[in-house]
Amino acid sequence: ITQEALDAGITAFDIINEALAPGMKIVGDNFEAATIYLPQIMMSAKAMKAAMEILEPILAEEKGEDEGVGMAVTFVQEGDIHDIGHRLVTTMLGANGFEILDLGTDIPNEDVVEAIAKNKGKKMLLVGSALMTTSMLGQKDVVRLLEEENLRDSVKIMFGGAPVTDAWIDECGADGTAENAAEAARVALELMA
């Protein structure tokens, strides 16, 4: 269907923003309302990934050199392997012009800081995810380590995941959070502006 949309002249950006992202929002809303369950979430994520495999090369072509909004370093906090939300947010950031450096799941804080240090000088956004309260606590340590290494001012920070609230963002010293992948892309672009 994604290829058919492209063949019909619909842009990759419009396919993402007018079809895929709203579709994933519906999936997320239905999951929250308990009208669908994890198998449907996983099927939806698989479909989104298949569509993005077609669209990402086109988006990269359309974006051109040095036109991106910055680099997004994405990861799932150490002690956590839940990655559906992480993958959706990473995909949406890429679709919105970010160069992506996806560190993966269960990533130690030191590895996160090292990735930021290696890319110092680039316009950067750090996006961390945690589904469990126990792993969420490590987000505060990431901010502290970035401050200790004098890297905090070189990066905007977003954290997300089920236990993450606006109050937590304030407490740990991050810059933003979002309820879903589409909102995360919007907040990310605002932070980078």
Side-chain angles (χ1 to χ4, degrees):
I1 292 171
T2 299
Q3 189 59 56
E4 288 174 12
L6 288 169
D7 294 344
I10 300 171
T11 68
F13 190 79
D14 283 345
I15 292 169
I16 292 166
N17 287 315
E18 303 298 325
L20 296 175
M24 290 309 297
K25 182 180 182 332
I26 292 168
V27 168
D29 291 347
N30 286 332
F31 183 68
E32 280 182 28
T35 56
I36 65 170
Y37 302 98
L38 192 56
Q40 289 85 10
I41 289 280
M42 294 178 77
M43 288 187 330
S44 300
K46 186 176 179 181
M48 177 83 164
K49 182 179 179 191
M52 289 308 297
E53 285 174 2
I54 294 168
L55 297 174
E56 281 170 350
I58 296 165
L59 289 167
E61 245 175 57
E62 289 174 358
K63 184 173 69 174
E65 290 296 314
D66 300 321
E67 289 180 26
V69 291
M71 172 182 274
V73 179
T74 65
F75 73 103
V76 177
Q77 196 69 44
E78 184 173 21
D80 203 328
I81 58 167
H82 299 92
D83 73 339
I84 291 175
H86 160 78
R87 285 187 290 162
L88 290 174
V89 169
T90 300
T91 298
M92 287 302 295
L93 292 174
N96 280 274
F98 283 89
E99 173 189 353
I100 301 295
L101 174 57
D102 183 358
L103 302 179
T105 62
D106 193 19
I107 304 300
N109 294 335
E110 295 76 12
D111 292 359
V112 174
V113 173
E114 183 181 326
I116 298 299
K118 281 183 180 174
N119 291 285
K120 190 173 181 180
K122 290 187 177 186
K123 192 174 175 184
M124 274 188 292
L125 173 70
L126 178 63
V127 183
S129 173
L131 191 64
M132 303 178 302
T133 304
T134 50
S135 55
M136 177 190 81
L137 298 175
Q139 294 174 338
K140 196 173 194 176
D141 294 329
V142 169
V143 176
R144 180 185 51 77
L145 287 170
L146 287 168
E147 287 169 350
E148 288 175 5
E149 296 295 323
N150 294 316
L151 294 168
R152 175 60 183 98
D153 291 340
S154 68
V155 63
K156 293 290 185 183
I157 302 173
M158 286 181 69
F159 289 133
V164 176
T165 62
D166 289 330
W168 173 250
I169 294 300
D170 291 340
E171 181 181 332
C172 72
D175 300 303
T177 188
E179 291 286 320
N180 57 56
E183 183 185 341
R186 181 187 57 76
V187 172
L189 289 169
E190 287 174 3
L191 287 174
M192 298 306 278

